[in-house]
């Protein structure tokens, strides 16, 4: 039975052999051409070319390809789809002839193979190849070709072409496939090794050849699937995936997913299978572009630029924050083609709307701006200020090179500030802006860039820059719903715009206390002719109940009940307690009721409007310049200038008959009560000097529990006397009147005054005289004085020598507080206008049989010093068995026994102790 030859291979062989017989050169040319294709053009493209043939044969993009090795070292490549036909066999047996039909555009064929030479890649590894198909098969082989040449007598050298002479092959393809290529390998090649090498290519082939859906290589099966989510195609092959977009002249694939792309590095151009054209693009490019016959390079007439058309759609397929992954990395191109394609890709990106902006829109890169380090918060605020502001996620420093390559304009903080100038926004918007800017202000340089940033003020104006502005502290008791308080005397930042960043830019944060103590407010008060400033101050003070208030705020103009404006410190609150103790001709008015209702009595009291007595303070008073009654006189009474001052004003306006009630009001105020404890302070001094109870000055009365003045001064009759004891008389004589009352009471025989109290009073009088607090020319000399016996006398003497006490009658002796000092005694004699004892008495020692000794040698002298608690003297001492003194006062003479004496020469005379008793002392 004749061998079946469905493709008439015999005719093909005859034609080829006849051409070789007629032209030995033709045989050599065919052998050389095949060798060139094998060794140069298609040396490493076996699987690629066979897969391309399988793709061209596939039906409905559902092609399947399988590669395997058999134990007999044969390499099998099988596919589904259109089987081999006669034209195909003719093309296989001819060089540079393809049976595939081109489209109208020669550079845009529907099929992958175009030149009819790709199958020659099998000759790179094989010596025989069979193509088995559903309608018959053919086989080529170098051995068969050599035998045919020998049979026909055509001379040939050792190199003959393998793919010019086909023979029929009756073996059908492997089950389940429409075509199978079986390659008998060259010696030294292992089919299993080739399969293993091909396994690395199948993933890329499934991406390149869309007509193939699955490829199985050596038992590992990979399938390509495409899923579409929100209009974005994701191609998956095995466990890898790519984001894919189709442009007019190319498909672009980015490894990874839309929210996690993985840009490629070191890829080549695919058209559709891989070429040798190196690219530096971040995406896989599968282009529809003309190639050279060996499918390794770009055809000289091919327009690579058009491949980039629509490239920006790949960016649109990615999540907005990942879109810069499609931008080619700045650097050198890998070659002429790469350079041209990179340029075209960048042009497509630059001229298309795909770049995400801060307002979640899309911008054309050459119309966009980027602020390095832009944050989400700042981006949200600036989105409606800066057109085309690049999204914060794409504004980090790492993204800037890519953005620059896209011609995106990079702006600075200074540019932002310039564009903000003149804008109108709510103050809270500006505060949010400052907060968003803060992370970007990392040093003085960046702070300087925003130095001219607009800052809204409380008065409605906008300042350029924060320097010189004031930030008023907000407090925990200030609700965010409370409208901003106007502060007209200072350039104050609107409270809703206040932010710590402004302090770094030159604004000064001030507390409410500092704001109301600013000299600018004082100047505003001095020039005010209405209560506008007053309303601002009162509203401001209401935000901080504990802010200190300067006394001069009493000059704020406040309407009274007659609708006239008067200084606050000339007004009282309605029904104020202090009004009940002031004189009827007091200059105070009553504040308008509407003002009280609007601001409340507590705030009004803080600016000096009276409720109780007003306390003014001065931490460093410079002089008696506080407009207090008799302030200069008090100042002059001080030994040293005070370092701080707290004084109650308007004490001179109290009705003299209402001091009992007024004192109760004073001590009911804790702050004022504290000042009354300071005897040297103005308030206590003024009350002692001028305030009266029942017609008697407070300075002439003592506190009920002050026993040190018992009998000398009368106790005040007041239930709160212990709380204002500092305003009552003390142990110190403070004035002529005080001295006069003390002298009068000391000489009053009806008063019971303890001797110790009288002695302290005498010392106080001497001290006041020495300090010139009292003037004796303005005092009447007392008619009687208080004696040591507690009685009064008009003939008493001041004890000025302690030993004279032994010869004086206590009822005739006046003393100062011990120890006895002759100078102090002389001063007391001057104040009382009576003589001292040493002036009035003449004394002489009667007994002269004394024994002379010294303080060093005499036990009697030492014992005397110990007994009297005085230091032992030095020098001579006289020891008497009995010591008597003759005392003469006028015509009267007396002799008195004494225990010790000091004569006019200063020598001490002592009495020797009595003889020791017969019974020893313990």
């Amino acid at each position: 039975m004749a061998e079946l030859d469905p493709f008439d291979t015999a005719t093909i062989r005859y034609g080829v052999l006849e051409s070789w017989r007629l032209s030995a050169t033709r045989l050599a040319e065919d052998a050389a051409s095949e060798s060139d294709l094998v060794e140069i053009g298609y040396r490493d493209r076996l699987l690629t070319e066979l897969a391309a043939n399988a793709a061209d044969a596939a039906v409905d993009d559902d092609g399947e390809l399988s590669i395997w090795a058999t134990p007999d070292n044969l390499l099998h490549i099988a596919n589904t789809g259109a089987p081999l036909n006669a034209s195909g066999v003719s093309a296989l047996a001819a060089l540079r002839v393809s049976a595939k039909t081109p489209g109208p555009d020669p550079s845009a064929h529907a099929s992958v193979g175009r030149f009819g030479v790709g199958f020659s890649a099998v000759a790179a590894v094989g010596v025989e190849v069979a193509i088995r198909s559903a309608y018959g098969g053919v086989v080529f082989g170098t051995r068969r070709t050599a035998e045919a040449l020998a049979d026909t007598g055509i001379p040939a050298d050792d190199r003959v072409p393998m793919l010019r002479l086909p023979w029929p092959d009756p073996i059908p393809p492997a089950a389940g496939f429409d075509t199978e290529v079986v390659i008998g390998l060259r010696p030294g090649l292992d089919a299993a090794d080739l399969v293993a090498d091909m396994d690395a290519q199948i993933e890329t082939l499934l991406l390149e050849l869309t007509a193939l859906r699955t490829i199985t290589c050596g038992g590992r099966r990979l399938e390509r699937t495409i899923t579409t989510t929100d209009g974005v195609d994701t191609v998956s092959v095995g466990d890898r995936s790519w984001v894919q977009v189709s442009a007019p002249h190319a498909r672009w694939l980015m490894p990874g997913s839309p929210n996690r792309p993985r840009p490629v590095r070191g890829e080549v151009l695919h058209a559709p299978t891989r070429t040798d054209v190196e690219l530096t693009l971040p995406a896989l490019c599968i282009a529809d572009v003309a190639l050279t016959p060996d499918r390794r390079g770009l055809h000289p007439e091919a327009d690579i630029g058009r491949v980039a058309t629509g490239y920006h759609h790949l960016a649109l397929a990615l999540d907005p924050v990942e879109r810069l992954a499609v931008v080619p990395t700045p650097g050198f191109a890998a070659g002429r083609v790469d350079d041209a394609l990179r340029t075209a890709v960048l042009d497509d990106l630059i001229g298309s709307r795909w770049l995400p902006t801060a307002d979640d829109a899309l911008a054309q890169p050459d119309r966009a701006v980027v602020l390095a380090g832009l944050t989400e918060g700042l981006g949200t605020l600036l989105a409606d200020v800066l057109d085309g502001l690049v999204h914060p996620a794409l504004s980090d420093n790492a993204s800037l090179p890519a953005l620059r390559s896209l011609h995106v304009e990079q702006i600075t903080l200074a540019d932002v500030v310039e564009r903000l100038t003149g804008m109108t926004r709510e103050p809270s918007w500006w505060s949010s802006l400052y907060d968003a800017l803060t992370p970007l202000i990392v040093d003085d340089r960046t702070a300087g860039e925003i130095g001219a940033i607009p800052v809204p003020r409380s008065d409605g104006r906008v300042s350029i820059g924060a320097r010189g502005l004031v930030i008023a502290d907000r407090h925990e008791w200030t609700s965010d719903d409370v409208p901003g308080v106007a502060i007209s005397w200072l350039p104050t930042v609107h409270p809703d715009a206040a932010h710590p960043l402004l302090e770094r830019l030159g604004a000064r944060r001030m507390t409410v206390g500092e704001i109301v103590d600013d000299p600018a407010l004082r100047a505003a008060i001095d020039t005010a002719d209405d209560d506008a400033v007053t309303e601002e101050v009162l509203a401001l003070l209401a935000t901080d109940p504990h802010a200190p208030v300067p006394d001069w705020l009493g000059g704020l103009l406040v309407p009274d009940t007659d609708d006239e404006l008067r200084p606050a410190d000339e007004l009282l609150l309605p029904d104020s307690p202090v009004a009940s103790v002031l004189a009827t001709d007091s200059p105070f008015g009553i504040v308008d009721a509407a003002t009280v209702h609007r601001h409340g009595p507590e705030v009004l009291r803080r600016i000096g409007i009276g409720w109780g007595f007003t306390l003014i303070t001065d931490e460093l008073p410079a002089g008696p310049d506080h407009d207090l009654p008799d302030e200069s006189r008090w100042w002059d009474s001080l030994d040293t200038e005070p370092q701080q001052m707290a004084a109650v004003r308007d004490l001179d306006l109290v009705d003299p008959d209402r001091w009992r009630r007024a004192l109760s009001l004073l001590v009911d105020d804790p702050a004022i009560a504290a000042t009354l404890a300071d005897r040297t302070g103005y308030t206590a001094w003024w009350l002692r000097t001028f305030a009266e109870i029942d017609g008697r000055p407070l300075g002439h009365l003592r506190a009920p529990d002050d026993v040190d003045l018992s009998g000398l001064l009368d106790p005040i009759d007041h239930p709160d006397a212990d709380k204002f004891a500092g305003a009552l008389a003390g142990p110190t004589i403070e004035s002529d009147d005080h001295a006069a009352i003390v002298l009068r009471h000391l000489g009053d025989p009806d008063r019971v005054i303890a001797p110790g109290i009288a002695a302290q009073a005498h010392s106080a009088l001497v001290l006041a005289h020495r300090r010139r607090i009292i003037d004796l020319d303005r005092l009447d000399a007392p008619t009687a004085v208080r004696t040591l016996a507690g009685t009064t006398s008009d003939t008493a003497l001041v004890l000025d020598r302690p030993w004279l006490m032994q010869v004086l009658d206590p009822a005739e002796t006046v003393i100062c507080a011990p120890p006895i000092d002759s100078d102090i005694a002389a001063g007391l004699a001057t104040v009382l206008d009576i003589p001292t004892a040493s002036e009035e008495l003449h004394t002489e020692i009667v007994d002269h049989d004394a024994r002379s000794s010294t303080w060093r040698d005499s036990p009697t002298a030492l014992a005397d010093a110990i007994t009297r608690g005085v230091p032992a003297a030095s020098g001579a001492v006289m020891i008497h068995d009995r010591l008597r003194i003759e005392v003469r006062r006028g015509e009267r003479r007396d002799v008195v026994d004494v225990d010790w004496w000091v004569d006019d020469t200063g020598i001490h005379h002592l009495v020797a102790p009595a003889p020791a008793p017969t019974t020893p002392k313990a």
Side-chain angles (χ1 to χ4, degrees):
M1 182 177 180
E3 183 180 11
L4 293 177
D5 188 4
F7 302 122
D8 193 15
T9 60
T11 300
I12 297 173
R13 290 194 306 276
Y14 175 79
V16 173
L17 287 170
E18 186 65 16
S19 68
W20 288 349
R21 185 182 64 79
L22 295 174
S23 174
T25 303
R26 178 66 182 269
L27 173 60
E29 287 177 348
D30 285 351
S33 296
E34 184 177 282
S35 178
D36 288 342
L37 291 173
V38 168
E39 296 177 5
I40 299 175
Y42 291 87
R43 64 189 181 277
D44 56 358
R45 296 179 62 86
L46 174 61
L47 180 60
T48 298
E49 295 305 324
L50 295 180
N53 289 337
D56 290 336
V59 178
D60 296 331
D61 293 344
D62 195 28
E64 183 174 348
L65 180 68
S66 182
I67 306 109
W68 70 93
T70 54
D72 53 358
N73 202 33
L74 294 177
L75 179 65
H76 297 254
I77 301 98
N79 64 272
T80 61
L84 183 66
N85 56 30
S87 62
V89 172
S90 297
L92 291 174
L95 292 176
R96 303 185 184 279
V97 175
S98 176
K100 299 164 187 177
T101 304
D105 183 353
S107 66
H109 293 285
S111 60
V112 178
R114 303 177 188 182
F115 306 110
V117 294
F119 188 74
S120 62
V122 299
V125 297
V127 295
E128 184 175 271
V129 58
I131 302 95
R132 301 166 180 171
S133 191
Y135 301 145
V138 295
V139 61
F140 297 89
T142 55
R143 181 183 58 80
R144 290 174 181 254
T145 300
E147 291 175 350
L149 289 171
D151 290 344
T152 57
I154 299 173
D157 57 20
D158 294 337
R159 186 174 63 174
V160 295
M162 184 181 79
L163 297 175
R164 293 289 278 130
L165 301 178
W167 281 267
D169 186 352
I171 301 174
F177 294 98
D178 297 302
T179 302
E180 179 183 8
V181 176
V182 182
I183 304 173
L185 299 175
R186 292 184 176 187
L189 293 181
D190 184 77
D193 290 342
L194 291 176
V195 171
D197 291 340
M198 292 176 177
D199 183 71
Q201 304 175 46
I202 61 176
E203 186 177 89
T204 301
L205 288 171
L206 284 171
L207 296 177
E208 297 170 333
L209 305 172
T210 58
L212 296 180
R213 183 172 57 83
T214 62
I215 298 179
T216 303
C217 185
R220 187 170 78 99
R221 183 177 187 274
L222 288 182
E223 180 179 359
R224 185 191 65 253
T225 60
I226 300 178
T227 58
T228 303
T229 303
D230 297 329
V232 176
D233 289 343
T234 298
V235 179
S236 297
V237 177
D239 57 358
R240 296 190 62 190
S241 60
W242 291 258
V243 177
Q244 173 180 272
V245 296
S246 295
H249 304 289
R251 285 186 296 121
W252 296 94
L253 294 100
M254 175 70 73
S257 61
N259 61 358
R260 198 171 183 181
R262 296 283 188 268
V264 299
R265 297 289 184 269
E267 257 293 347
V268 295
L269 176 67
H270 298 254
T273 56
R274 61 182 297 110
T275 69
D276 288 348
V277 178
E278 295 182 2
L279 298 181
T280 56
L281 297 174
L284 191 68
C285 176
I286 303 176
D288 186 6
V289 64
L291 299 177
T292 55
D294 61 2
R295 303 184 60 79
R296 292 181 178 274
L298 194 68
H299 193 282
E301 296 181 1
D303 181 8
I304 191 63
R306 72 174 190 166
V307 171
T309 302
Y311 177 80
H312 68 278
H313 289 288
L314 179 60
L316 291 170
L318 301 182
D319 281 359
V321 298
E322 299 292 344
R323 288 182 182 171
L324 290 184
V326 306
V327 180
T329 302
F332 294 107
R336 179 184 59 81
V337 175
D338 182 44
D339 184 50
L341 185 54
R342 281 171 59 95
T343 300
V345 162
L346 287 172
D347 288 343
D348 183 78
L349 290 172
I350 291 169
S352 305
R353 293 173 61 88
W354 61 271
L355 187 62
T357 59
D359 57 353
D360 296 324
L362 297 178
Q364 192 169 301
D366 57 357
R367 298 179 183 178
V369 295
V370 61
L371 176 64
L374 183 70
T375 61
E376 289 284 350
L378 183 59
T380 300
L381 293 167
L382 296 180
D384 62 343
V385 177
L386 302 173
D387 291 335
L389 180 63
V390 175
H391 193 282
L394 306 180
S395 301
D396 58 305
N397 288 331
S399 300
L400 295 182
L403 294 172
R404 281 194 288 266
S405 69
L406 296 171
H407 299 176
V408 175
E409 178 188 1
Q410 183 175 353
I411 61 175
T412 65
L413 290 174
D415 297 325
V416 173
V417 168
E418 182 179 355
R419 301 188 191 195
L420 290 172
T421 302
M423 284 185 47
T424 301
R425 290 291 188 276
E426 292 297 321
S428 59
W429 184 91
W430 290 101
S431 179
S432 299
L433 175 65
Y434 306 145
D435 192 62
L437 282 171
T438 297
L440 278 66
I441 310 306
V442 296
D443 52 28
D444 292 341
R445 181 188 64 79
T446 51
E449 289 189 45
I450 64 168
I453 196 166
V455 182
R457 289 168 39 173
S458 297
D459 58 8
R461 292 184 288 175
V462 176
S463 288
I464 301 302
R467 189 166 301 281
L469 299 182
V470 170
I471 298 175
D473 263 346
R474 294 180 68 87
H475 301 275
E476 59 184 11
W477 49 82
T478 303
S479 169
D480 290 337
D481 298 330
V482 175
V485 177
I487 303 174
S488 61
W489 61 93
L490 289 174
T492 310
V493 176
H494 193 287
D496 292 341
H499 191 276
L501 177 62
L502 298 180
E503 296 180 65
R504 292 183 61 184
L505 300 180
R508 181 164 65 103
R509 183 172 293 277
M510 296 177 67
T511 64
V512 171
E514 291 170 333
I515 292 173
V516 298
D517 197 25
D518 194 275
L521 175 56
R522 194 165 194 170
I525 293 174
D526 291 341
T527 58
D529 56 7
D530 57 27
D531 62 345
V533 173
T534 301
E535 289 295 311
E536 292 177 5
V537 171
L538 293 175
L540 181 62
L541 290 177
T543 68
D544 186 354
H546 304 294
V549 177
D551 299 326
W552 45 262
L553 281 189
L556 286 167
L557 296 179
V558 181
D560 65 8
T561 51
D562 295 326
D563 202 24
E564 294 183 0
L565 294 177
R566 298 181 62 178
D569 55 11
E570 294 181 7
L571 293 171
L572 301 175
L573 288 164
D575 302 321
S576 58
V578 73
S580 65
V581 300
L582 297 182
T584 55
D585 57 352
S586 164
F588 285 102
I590 303 299
V591 69
D592 172 56
T595 302
V596 177
H597 177 75
R598 189 162 56 253
H599 297 288
E602 292 303 320
V603 175
L604 294 172
R605 288 177 62 179
R606 294 170 67 192
I607 65 170
I609 293 179
W611 173 260
F613 285 98
T614 300
L615 183 69
I616 62 173
T617 59
D618 189 348
E619 287 300 318
L620 293 171
D625 53 2
H626 303 85
D627 199 25
L628 296 169
D630 307 292
E631 185 179 6
S632 295
R633 181 174 167 186
W634 164 72
W635 192 273
D636 293 339
S637 71
L638 301 174
D639 294 332
T640 58
E641 292 185 355
Q643 296 302 304
Q644 57 183 4
M645 177 178 172
V648 177
R649 70 173 201 185
D650 304 323
L651 294 174
D652 58 325
L653 301 180
V654 175
D655 188 319
D657 295 331
R658 301 175 183 175
W659 268 114
R660 190 177 299 278
R661 166 66 175 155
L663 289 170
S664 294
L665 290 180
L666 288 171
V667 298
D668 284 344
D669 186 323
I672 292 177
T675 68
L676 296 179
D678 179 13
R679 294 190 58 81
T680 62
Y682 169 83
T683 305
W685 172 86
W686 197 94
L687 290 174
R688 286 197 307 275
T689 306
F690 299 103
E692 297 182 352
I693 292 288
D694 298 330
R696 303 172 70 185
L698 297 188
H700 294 178
L701 301 170
R702 66 177 175 87
D705 58 354
D706 188 354
V707 296
D708 291 336
L709 297 177
S710 180
L712 181 64
L713 294 177
D714 295 332
I716 189 171
D717 180 18
H718 195 286
D720 300 313
D722 58 328
K723 297 179 181 178
F724 58 84
L728 300 172
T732 302
I733 303 299
E734 298 180 333
S735 65
D736 290 331
D737 287 343
H738 190 184
I741 195 68
V742 168
L743 289 172
R744 185 164 63 251
H745 288 179
L746 286 171
D748 184 354
D750 294 331
R751 286 184 171 271
V752 177
I753 301 175
I757 292 175
Q760 292 290 348
H762 291 151
S763 295
L765 287 166
V766 174
L767 181 61
H769 180 239
R770 286 186 170 183
R771 292 181 176 178
R772 299 185 179 181
I773 293 174
I774 60 177
D775 184 352
L776 297 183
D777 291 338
R778 293 198 294 266
L779 292 174
D780 294 331
T783 57
V785 296
R786 184 68 56 169
T787 69
L788 179 58
T791 60
T792 59
S793 171
D794 56 1
T795 58
L797 302 175
V798 176
L799 178 66
D800 59 340
R801 303 285 190 271
W803 56 90
L804 293 178
M805 187 71 250
Q806 301 172 93
V807 300
L808 287 174
D809 183 353
E812 292 294 324
T813 304
V814 177
I815 64 170
C816 290
I820 300 301
D821 181 279
S822 58
D823 289 339
I824 295 176
L828 179 59
T830 300
V831 172
L832 299 180
D833 196 22
I834 60 176
T836 62
S838 63
E839 293 173 336
E840 186 72 10
L841 300 179
H842 300 281
T843 60
E844 183 180 352
I845 298 174
V846 174
D847 299 303
H848 298 289
D849 54 349
R851 298 179 298 278
S852 178
S853 184
T854 65
W855 285 91
R856 182 189 60 199
D857 299 328
S858 173
T860 299
L862 290 175
D864 177 75
I866 293 171
T867 301
R868 292 191 290 113
V870 297
S874 61
V877 64
M878 303 300 293
I879 307 301
H880 298 257
D881 292 327
R882 184 179 183 186
L883 180 58
R884 291 180 298 167
I885 305 298
E886 181 183 70
V887 181
R888 298 190 302 275
R889 183 180 183 187
E891 297 299 326
R892 181 178 175 180
R893 293 174 180 265
D894 294 298
V895 175
V896 181
D897 282 278
V898 297
D899 294 326
W900 66 287
W901 199 259
V902 181
D903 62 25
D904 294 339
T905 65
I907 295 176
H908 282 66
H909 297 258
L910 303 175
V911 176
T918 56
T919 303
K921 293 184 178 179

